[in-house]
Each structure stands twice: as C-alpha cells, then as structure tokens.
C-alpha cells in the first residue's frame, strides 16, 4: 500500500517509515500539514495516517483543506482520547484512529482491518 504519515514528531516518523517499509508498504513521512495537502493532491495514497496536534495546525485543519480521494482512507493517530476530536475527524472523513503510543502489531492490525 501507498501510505502518507503526517505527524510533527520526527522520531515517530522515522519509526513509522521503518516499520511500514519493512512490511512492504511505500511510505512518505512529512511533518508539515500544508505540504501534506499538496502531496495528497499530487499522489494516490491508499492510507493517510494523520496526527491531531501538530504545532500551529491540527489534523482537523488538514482534513478541512485536503481534497481527499474517495478511495483513500484516513486513520487519526493521536495521544488525545478526546471524543470531540475523534468525532470531528470522523465527520471530516477519517475511518478510524490509533491511540499513541502504539506498537507495530497494533498499527498493522489497524491497516489490515481498514483495507477490508
């Protein structure tokens, strides 16, 4: 699968790139929501893994500004268990969420579940 990971945590991005690549996925990692909007416009991703809180911008800002193709699935990755945030992201097109911290097995289970 082709996956874009959007998060401002550079350590998490490094780990996500290693884990997803090791498991056969084509991965692009980025820490800038504005640049991520442009990447989605230029590429066909199967999944977007989107953090909620990213410095000055949020995952909600990203979802409000991205032109999300119908076939692209979005998973919120967040350390916040705030129902309003999760509901807002779902209303904007997210199909699931993963609570940080998560491990490789949990990440892969979520991706598998959401490809069915």
């Amino acid at each position: 699968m082709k996956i874009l990971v959007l998060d401002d945590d550079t350590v998490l991005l490094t780990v996500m790139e290693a884990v997803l690549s090791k498991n056969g996925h084509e991965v692009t990692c980025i820490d800038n929501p504005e640049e991520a909007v442009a990447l989605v416009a230029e590429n066909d991703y199967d999944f977007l893994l989107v953090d909620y809180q990213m410095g000055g911008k949020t995952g909600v800002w990203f979802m409000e500004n991205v032109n999300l193709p119908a076939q692209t699935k979005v998973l919120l990755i967040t350390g916040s268990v705030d129902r309003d945030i999760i509901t807002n992201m779902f209303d904007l097109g997210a199909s699931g969420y993963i609570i940080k911290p998560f491990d490789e097995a949990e990440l892969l289970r979520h991706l598998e579940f959401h490809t069915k």
Side-chain angles (χ1 to χ4, degrees), residues 4 6 29-43 45 61-62:
L4 174 73
L6 171 59
C29 292
I30 190 162
D31 64 358
N32 183 305
E34 291 101 341
E35 291 176 18
V37 167
L39 282 173
V40 172
E42 299 166 2
N43 297 278
Y45 293 101
W61 180 92
F62 172 78

Side-chain angles (χ1 to χ4, degrees), residues 7 12 50-54 58-60 75-90 96-102:
D7 199 304
L12 177 72
V50 179
D51 186 23
Y52 172 72
Q53 189 60 47
M54 295 175 282
T58 65
V60 169
L75 297 180
L76 168 65
I77 51 176
T78 183
S80 173
V81 189
D82 183 318
R83 290 189 192 279
D84 291 335
I85 291 169
I86 294 168
T87 299
N88 200 2
M89 289 292 286
F90 277 15
Y97 63 96
I98 305 171
I99 302 297
K100 295 177 188 177
F102 50 85

Side-chain angles (χ1 to χ4, degrees), residues 52-71:
Y52 172 72
Q53 189 60 47
M54 295 175 282
K57 304 283 185 196
T58 65
V60 169
W61 180 92
F62 172 78
M63 293 296 288
E64 289 174 340
N65 288 278
V66 72
N67 185 9
L68 191 63
Q71 77 279 2

Side-chain angles (χ1 to χ4, degrees), residues 9-20:
D9 181 341
T10 56
V11 172
L12 177 72
L13 291 177
T14 300
V15 171
M16 294 284 280
E17 184 172 22
V19 166
L20 292 169

